[in-house]
Structure formats: structure tokens, C-alpha cells
Amino acid sequence: MIVGIDLGTTHSLIGYYSEEGPKLFRNALGDTLTPSVVSVADDGHMLVGAAAQDRLISHPQASVAAFKRWMGTARETQLGPRVFRPEELSALVLRSLLADAEAALGEKVREAVISVPAYFSDAQRKATRAAGELAGIRVERLINEPTAAALAYGLQERKEGSRFLIFDLGGGTFDVSVLEMFEGVVEVHASAGDNYLGGEDFLDALQTACLGDLKLRGDDFSPVERGLLRRKLELAKRTLSQQLEVRIEGLIGKHDIAWHIDQERFAHLADPLLQRMRMPLERALRDAHLRPEQLDEIVLVGGASRMPLISRLIARMFGKLPLRHVNPDEAIAFGACVAAGLKSRNAKLDEVILTDVCPYTLGIDVSQRGEQGHVQHGIFSPVIQRNSVVPISRESSYYPISERQTKLTLQIYQGENPMVENNIKLGELDIPLNPTLSIQQNEVMVRFTYDINGVLQVEATPKISGFRHEIVLQQNPGMLSDDDIRTRLAALSELKIHPRSKQENIALLARAERLFEEHLSARDVLQQWITHFRQILETQDHRLIQEHRQNFSGALDSLETQL
Ligand code: AMP
């Protein structure tokens, strides 16, 4: 069984390809979306998902979210007595998802297809693979999120020559991809995006306007109170996706908040963000050599694409309404399941071939001699251009800059800047030269091969000797070595994780503790409820626990609506 996983910044999902098509598994709380949040409980147990999300408020020092942004870096997070790499935090999320899948399937899952943003660099892709290994599974394949979204919409069944644009606006990232149907194959023609633009920025815009209208500043609130205000504004933002206006009210700290906003004002506040969205949209079209009217469909993915102002932007820019019939939170996971089905050689999907693009330019550092003999160093010479369809192999030839040079050092970079200093260095390769030969005779053929999993192989062959030198790039800064992975895998396996059966209770207590932290006025009653529920848990009487859980949960629901 190969599962499909959407390992998202805010939420993660897991599913598989069933007889009837893609199907998602539910977590212990009955949801398909598991918050990508990790927390360590007071007793040392690791928590993932809703309980960890609530603990971000009640126990911020012991909890962490949005670590997908740090994938591919060596950044470490202290949680309780331990520090965690981003791969390890992702591995804990993966483990929790796998436990849900295994509980439903009744069998061990060993392989997965995991989706990654089109903009993920080589290091970020490798970190995602490492997270899979740390979770004890083989990552069969990484699939670009927009490609997954296309599969979820069954776009591979559209007519020949159809062109689609996938518009993915998540919590913190924006991705645009242009796809085309060619001889029954979905081809990705271009991708662009903004790694720092998403639903959270729209929330920031609402918060600024709200505080401005109320003549308050962020500093007037404690961090917990600010979190509460943000929660209310988040709800308001979501309500504005369905209603023309919304009102927020309530006591936050010592401030009595009463604020009102309508869709029109929200659209006005969001205008600078919509303008920022135009750039990647235009770039993707330009790279695919398409005019807006040549697109057959525009597909909306990502929770934040539910905002009506996004559909309006699309209608204005492209002259048509977008497709959005698959739940935008689940579309990528559905596509990952389709890709997993494809991998398991499911007959129904045999004809579909996936094509991804290399999302950045790969090349080497060269020096150039100007007309007056002046040498300019540090120039980026691209070998594989951004948005090339992968797998791809390209060759270019290079010469030493001077006579009697004993070696050529190939410095390999990724990036879009003409100067290497502004790009990311991936590695280097020394090629010995014969100093007795002329510059022309010392020609070196350099071949870059970039595969579907984002692994780059660089081969350099002096033409005259034919002796091949090779480097496969795994030495990205911040990468875990195979040895590191083995040690960390052993250490992670020792972490204590609550069984699934306990998770509903833990999530409920975490929610109550979060409310306790947020609402001074309700502390007495919450304290009583929490103590009572803990006592019930100690009885270990399942029927009694279940009954009290329902009452407790209902009580928290009504308390939360009143506050
Ligand atoms: P994702 O990364 O796809 O989980 O996207 C999460 C983002 O979608 C968050 O910024 C949410 O605020 C946003 N979002 C989810 N549902 C809605 C909605 N109904 N209206 C507006 N934004 C939403």
C-alpha cells in the first residue's frame, strides 16, 4: 500500500487510492486535516495535531508550528529537554498521519508519495525525503503540489491541448503553475510563486485595520490576548467568504472590542496583496508563452483561495471564473493519492504520465575576459534553465581562463541572478587540466542531469582525455547525512507518543487549557471542569469517560461562543 500525503505548512492530510478513487483517512478526532503542529506535554509525551495547536497558546515554549518553512535549513527548535531539526518535526507529523492510516487499514504502511511546493529547492526536497525516512517510510516520490492539484481535478482527462493554471493560496505561500495536456499527458509548463504571501497576510491586513479603527496598538495586548484577537479576526475573515459583513465583539484583556467590516472594505484592504499576486501570475504565463485568454481552466487550491476577492481577481485577469469544486483544503492530498495509485500501478491510471519542472536555474560560476583583457569573475552561467521539464540533461562546454592552468574548479549554483554571489552554492568539482595544452584543447564538457526527485548530477569531461568526473549533489548546507538520519531515527523512536485512543481526551484537555489561558473571566469554571475531567480519566472507566467527554466538549463549545 502506498499512501498519498500532503505535508502542509498549516495542515497535513493522508489518504490512498481506492477502487472508487482517492480517499482520505481521518485522524483520532475524526478530521481529515491534522494541524502541522508539534508539542511536548508535561509528562514528556509528544503531541501532534489539534492538541498541539491549542498548546501553542497555553504552552508556547513547548510547542511549534509552521516548521515546513525551515525545511532544508539546520535550524533547531528546543521543545522541553530536546532540540529538534525541522525534518524531525515533520517526521513526527508524518508518524501521526501514518498511525491514522494504519488504524484505518489495519496494516503497516511502508511507502508514500509526498507533495512539496513547486518552489521547494533541492535542499528542501531532500529534507522532506529525510523526514519520510525518520518516520520509517520510503518516500516513493515527491510530487509538486500544483501537479497534485491537477490530478485531483482529473485534468488529465481533458481534451488534447487544454491549458490550465493552478492557483494555490495557502496559509503562508502562493504558488502558480501552468499545465498543458499534450498527447494524454499533463505537462507542467511553468511555475512561479511567492514563498511569503498567503492567508496570514490577509489576516494581518484585517488586524491592522481593526487596531487602527479602535485606536489600539498590538503592544496594548499580551501575547495571549493578541492570539485571541487573531482567532476572532480569523473567524471574521472566514465569515467574510460567505457573508457580506461581519462583526466581532468581546472583552480581550481590559479592552472591550466591538468592530465591524464588510466585504468591500476587506477587498480594499487586501488590494496591495492582490497586486503582489499579479506578479507571479504574469511571470508564469510569460514563461509558458501564453496569453491569459489562452487558458482553458483556472483551478483554485489552498484554504485562502475561498475568499471571494480571489475569484474576482481571477475573473478580472483571465476573463473567466475559476474551477473550485474539489475542497481547496483537500485537493493536493487527493492528487497525492492519485499519484500514489499511479505508483501502485493501478490500471485505471496507467496512461497518465507526470511531468514536473525544475523550479530554478542551475549553472556554474564562470569568469569572462573583457575586450581590454580585464577578467570579470563570479558570473552565473546557466546550464539548466528554470521551468525546464524534468527529467532533463543538458551539456555545455567551458574553457580555462588562462594558459597553463592546472585545474578547473566548477562551482555549482542554483538561482536566478546573473551574479553567483546572489545565488545558492550547491557544491564544487575539481577537474585536473593538462597545463601543456592550449586553452582551446583544454575544453571541458559539463553535463547537468536533474531528475524527477530533484537530485542533481554534474559530470565534467575534458574533451581530450575523455576522463569523466562526477558529483551528485547531496551536500546542501543544512542537510542531514545518512549517518545523522540513522542516529536520529533511533532517538526519535524512543520518544513517547500517546496511543490514538487517548488523543480525544488529550485534545479536549488541551482545548480547555487554551481557553483558561485566554479568558480570565472563565478561569474558575474551567479550572473546575478540568479537575473533574482529570478525575474521571483516572477511573479508566471507558463508558464514563466517553459520557463525560461529550458533556465537557459541549460545555466548551457553548462557553467559546459566549466569550
Ligand atoms: P492551507 O495552508 O491551505 O491550510 O490554508 C490555510 C489558510 O486558508 C489560512 O490562512 C486560512 O485563514 C485560510 N482559509 C481557510 N478557510 C478559509 C475561508 N473560508 N475563507 C478565507 N480564508 C480561509
Side-chain angles (χ1 to χ4, degrees), residues 39-47 55 58-59 62 80-81 496 498 513 534:
S39 181
V40 57
D42 304 337
D43 63 2
H45 277 82
M46 299 307 299
L47 300 171
R55 286 173 61 85
S58 57
H59 300 79
K496 289 179 286 179
H498 283 295
E513 282 174 9
R534 283 193 194 282

Side-chain angles (χ1 to χ4, degrees), residues 407-411 428-433 460 469-471:
K407 68 171 185 182
L408 195 74
T409 301
L410 282 187
Q411 310 223 47
E428 62 179 56
L429 182 61
D430 277 343
I431 299 109
L433 299 177
H469 302 263
E470 182 201 73
I471 179 171

Side-chain angles (χ1 to χ4, degrees), residues 40 44-46 82 84 88 92 95 488-498:
V40 57
H45 277 82
M46 299 307 299
R82 262 201 65 155
F84 291 87
E88 293 178 296
L92 289 167
R95 280 193 181 191
R488 283 169 193 265
L489 181 62
L492 274 191
S493 312
E494 278 164 20
L495 288 179
K496 289 179 286 179
I497 294 172
H498 283 295

Side-chain angles (χ1 to χ4, degrees), residues 72-187:
T73 73
R75 178 170 173 155
E76 293 191 320
T77 308
Q78 176 95 36
L79 289 186
R82 262 201 65 155
V83 291
F84 291 87
R85 297 254 314 192
E87 295 92 329
E88 293 178 296
L89 297 168
S90 298
L92 289 167
V93 173
L94 288 173
R95 280 193 181 191
S96 167
L97 297 175
L98 290 164
D100 295 331
E102 286 167 2
L105 291 169
E107 62 178 271
K108 188 114 188 81
V109 175
R110 299 189 193 282
E111 290 166 300
V113 171
I114 303 182
S115 59
V116 289
Y119 257 69
F120 252 25
S121 68
D122 199 34
Q124 290 166 308
R125 284 165 198 262
K126 289 196 182 112
T128 307
R129 284 184 168 276
E133 279 185 58
L134 291 173
I137 44 163
R138 208 159 73 84
V139 181
E140 258 295 328
R141 191 189 157 163
L142 297 176
I143 178 172
N144 278 336
E145 289 169 1
T147 309
L151 293 184
Y153 271 89
L155 294 187
Q156 71 275 15
E157 279 154 28
R158 291 300 185 88
K159 70 175 192 305
E160 182 65 14
S162 303
R163 286 133 170 178
F164 317 109
L165 183 133
I166 312 290
F167 180 108
D168 179 356
L169 188 62
T173 53
F174 176 45
D175 279 308
V176 185
S177 287
V178 177
L179 316 176
E180 187 172 339
M181 281 304 301
F182 181 69
E183 295 181 353
V185 169
V186 183
E187 282 195 355

